[in-house]
Structures are given as structure tokens and as C-alpha cells.
Amino acid sequence: MSFYKINFFPIYFNIGKNHTKGSYYEVNDQNDYKGKVFVVYDVPAYFNVNNASKPNGLSLLESTQYPGFLIELDKFKNVEDYLQSTFGRNSRMKMRKYSNRLDTCFDISTKMFFGTIDEKEYDLIFEYFMMLLNRRFSDKQISNNNMHPSEWNFYKEVAYPLIIEKKASLFVVFDNKTPIAITYNYHIDDIVIDAITVFDINYVKFNLGYLNNLKLIEWCFENNIKKLDFSKGYFDYKKRLCSKEYDFNYHILYDSNSIKAKIIAYFAYTFYEFKSYLRKKEINTKLHKITFLLNNKKTEKVDYEIVTLDVLPDTNSLTELYLDSKTNSPLNKIVNDFLYGISKHRSEIKIYSVDNQNNLFIISSEFLTQKVLLK
């Protein structure tokens, strides 16, 4: 593990800090630790870091920061065994329903980019990645650290070489050729760590978030992965899917023979404990909402009205539309909800704009016709 130093204090941080989503290390007596403090971010408790052999004088403080969630895949025979052990019969039936309907309505495929990826395709996937993240968190009206330019540039810069080296991967769900769910993972031996995941909210009716995770779980079983780690931070889906909960800790190693190092170490420990306290009080969530409101003037969601029609209006007054999935129009989600309701393929419907009425649209199929007014 490599470290870097900032300012004038003898405190060193592991390279990558909390972007790594999980750190493992061992201490040996060859390390130069005299008078220094080392901070190692995001050490999962289940990694069982061995500090027993650390030299005399090097002490450790551990600050618990986040909850973590993982699936111990090696405890299950296959994906069917996992599903039966984790979910009730009704939940499994609903998942099959969502999956079947998604496949019925769209041309769905998945691909794991692991060991090889074309650079142009890589750039395109990351373009969609940011677009989907922006769409997701704009809908939630909350800011997200991953989308900060410096943090996002870090991920994009390091991901490509790591994928080629089989230390990272991109798991992508496509609708035809368009990415609609993307998960960036790290790989450590037979462990897959879900670092960042997002799905297109226009497919929310199909429960795409869960289906994306289940497709990734299936890939893990097929490739003899023993643990799928959903990484740090609480979300309902992690709690529901996991078989084990654990803690993410920050390790502060310091030279206990140095008064200066000891003071800095305990100051750092107190600082991280305070941040953890604020996080448990959900101060960070409130701050992210305030940050979003300050940086985004338009936060109101578009309202709309849907009316079912008995017949399709005269097509001479209509212009057929071909929606672009990149366009963040509320009509995209409305169309997908329409497809979910009739359980027919996207090619079996037509979408029209009504001439001389900018906010009025018609969605039509053999079974159902609706008029949509965007307000």
C-alpha cells in the first residue's frame, strides 16, 4: 500500500483514500513509521487484517464509519438456492414477473467488461454512466459525491487500466445497444466489490434496480465468485439482498513513542468519530439535499395527465415520434410505464405529438390508446 503526505504534519493517507471501496494491508517491521501517523480508509471488518506482527511502538486506533453488506455466495449452491434462501415465494414470483416483462418489452442483454474493453465503447459507457447518475439523483433531488468532477475523473482515469488487468469490471445491462444499468466493480481474488451502481429511472416500473443486481449475482455464480460485496452505505436493497452485515473501519496507525504522532492520531480519531456521529444523525443526507438545492435552480418535477381514448385520433393531425433514450424527457418514463401495463414489445406501439400542441402526445397500441398532457 502506498501513502501520500499533505501539509506539514507527519500524517500519511493511503492513495485512493475512500475511493478504493475496500483496503487490505499487512504491517511488517521494515516500514519506516518513526514519528508518523498513517490513515488507511475503508477496511472491511471481514478482511481480517492481521496487525499481530506489527513492530513494538506502532499502535492502532479503529474508527467505525459505515455499515457494509455482502452476499456470501459460497454458502449457496447456485442462484436458485440463493433466491430460495433469501426471498419468500411471493417475492420470487414478483421478480420473475418483472424479469419476464422487461425481456418482453425490450431487447435486453447483459455484458461484463472484464479483462478487455474497446476504448471508444469504454468512453461511451462512462458517458451514459454519468448521464444515468445525473438523472437518478436529480429525481431524488440530492447531490452525490461520485458526480463531483474530481471524483468522477478519478474513477474514469483508473477504471480502464484496472479492467484490462482484471482488477475491475463494468457490468452493463443494455436495451438494444443503449446502457440502462451500469455497475462499476473492483475484483480482489474471488471477491467482487460493487463500487458504483445506477439504473435508468425511466425503467423503474420494471424494478430494474433489483433485476440489475440479480443479473450480476448470476454472473458471480457462473464465475465462481465467493463474495459479492455491496460496499459501504445503507440502502434498502443492500439490506434485502445481503447475507452478512459488517463494518467499514478507518485504521489509524501511529508511533506511540512519539508524543506528536500520538496527539495527531487521537485528533484524527476524534474527527472521524464525530463524522460518524453526524452520519448516524443523517446530517450528511440533509447536507446533500441542501447542496442540490443550492446548485440546481429547477427542482420541480414535471406533472402530467393521462386519459384513455376509445380510438386513435385522425393521424393527419399527428406526427410520429421516435424517442431518444438520451433525452431526459418525462415522456420516456410514461412510454415505459405504458409498455409495462400492456406487456408488449416496444416495436408494437406508436408515439405521436399532436400538431400545434407542444405538450400533448398520443401513445397507441392494438390494445390501448392514451392521451398524455405534460403540464
Side-chain angles (χ1 to χ4, degrees), residues 86-104:
T86 308
F87 300 99
R89 181 172 176 271
N90 288 339
S91 294
R92 296 198 305 273
M93 288 177 61
K94 287 180 181 178
M95 289 178 184
R96 282 194 292 270
K97 172 187 173 184
Y98 290 128
S99 181
N100 292 337
R101 197 154 294 192
L102 184 70
D103 290 335
T104 297

Side-chain angles (χ1 to χ4, degrees), residues 22-27 42-53 60 62 70 72 191 227 229 244 246-249 251:
S23 300
Y24 178 82
Y25 68 94
E26 290 183 352
V27 179
D42 293 347
V43 181
Y46 74 89
F47 273 11
N48 296 319
V49 171
N50 182 14
N51 281 304
S53 62
L60 170 68
E62 293 186 56
L70 63 83
E72 300 162 300
I191 301 172
K227 289 184 176 65
D229 189 341
K244 181 182 178 65
Y246 65 94
D247 292 325
F248 266 90
N249 302 316
H251 284 198

Side-chain angles (χ1 to χ4, degrees), residues 28-257:
N28 60 58
D29 56 9
Q30 304 300 315
N31 294 112
D32 178 17
Y33 66 91
K34 296 297 184 181
K36 298 176 181 177
V37 178
F38 298 90
V39 178
V40 182
Y41 284 76
D42 293 347
V43 181
Y46 74 89
F47 273 11
N48 296 319
V49 171
N50 182 14
N51 281 304
S53 62
K54 67 180 183 293
N56 292 331
L58 187 64
S59 296
L60 170 68
L61 295 171
E62 293 186 56
S63 177
T64 299
Q65 290 294 304
Y66 302 92
F69 305 85
L70 63 83
I71 305 175
E72 300 162 300
L73 299 171
D74 53 351
K75 290 189 174 182
F76 306 98
K77 297 176 183 177
N78 48 43
V79 67
E80 289 77 18
D81 183 33
Y82 161 75
L83 290 173
Q84 289 186 4
S85 301
T86 308
F87 300 99
R89 181 172 176 271
N90 288 339
S91 294
R92 296 198 305 273
M93 288 177 61
K94 287 180 181 178
M95 289 178 184
R96 282 194 292 270
K97 172 187 173 184
Y98 290 128
S99 181
N100 292 337
R101 197 154 294 192
L102 184 70
D103 290 335
T104 297
C105 296
F106 308 99
D107 299 317
I108 298 298
S109 62
T110 62
K111 186 171 182 179
M112 174 65 91
F113 296 91
F114 182 51
T116 179
I117 185 171
D118 178 78
E119 286 194 56
K120 289 184 179 179
E121 189 166 21
Y122 174 83
D123 289 337
L124 182 63
I125 290 172
F126 259 84
E127 180 183 340
Y128 273 97
F129 210 164
M130 173 55 80
M131 181 188 72
L132 295 180
L133 282 168
N134 184 63
R135 187 178 296 173
R136 173 69 170 152
F137 286 97
S138 292
D139 180 70
K140 296 175 71 173
Q141 296 191 5
I142 190 170
S143 62
N144 178 263
N145 291 337
N146 293 329
M147 296 169 61
H148 190 278
S150 62
E151 188 161 330
W152 187 251
N153 289 337
F154 168 84
Y155 283 117
K156 188 176 181 183
E157 181 179 347
V158 303
Y160 183 82
L162 290 177
I163 291 171
I164 301 302
E165 297 170 12
K166 290 192 171 183
K167 295 179 180 178
S169 65
L170 283 169
F171 184 75
V172 186
V173 179
F174 292 92
D175 174 7
N176 197 357
K177 296 182 180 180
T178 302
I180 60 172
I182 304 171
T183 305
Y184 174 54
N185 309 290
Y186 292 118
H187 292 248
I188 303 175
D189 298 326
D190 51 11
I191 301 172
V192 170
I193 300 173
D194 176 344
I196 309 174
T197 189
V198 69
F199 68 93
D200 191 336
I201 59 172
N202 291 330
Y203 296 77
V204 68
K205 192 79 171 180
F206 296 84
N207 216 348
L208 180 58
Y210 271 104
L211 293 182
N212 173 53
N213 282 306
L214 292 177
K215 290 177 184 294
L216 177 58
I217 290 168
E218 188 173 357
W219 182 92
C220 289
F221 273 111
E222 291 172 353
N223 290 270
N224 300 315
I225 301 299
K226 292 185 177 180
K227 289 184 176 65
L228 174 57
D229 189 341
F230 291 115
S231 192
K232 62 186 178 182
Y234 178 87
F235 287 97
D236 288 340
Y237 79 90
K238 295 183 180 183
K239 177 79 172 179
R240 191 178 181 193
L241 292 170
C242 79
S243 64
K244 181 182 178 65
E245 298 181 33
Y246 65 94
D247 292 325
F248 266 90
N249 302 316
Y250 287 2
H251 284 198
I252 304 168
L253 296 119
Y254 65 98
D255 180 7
S256 59
N257 294 320

Side-chain angles (χ1 to χ4, degrees), residues 324-339:
D324 180 359
S325 60
K326 279 191 175 184
T327 303
N328 191 20
S329 166
L331 197 59
N332 289 34
K333 180 181 180 299
I334 295 168
V335 169
N336 287 353
D337 290 354
F338 181 92
L339 289 169

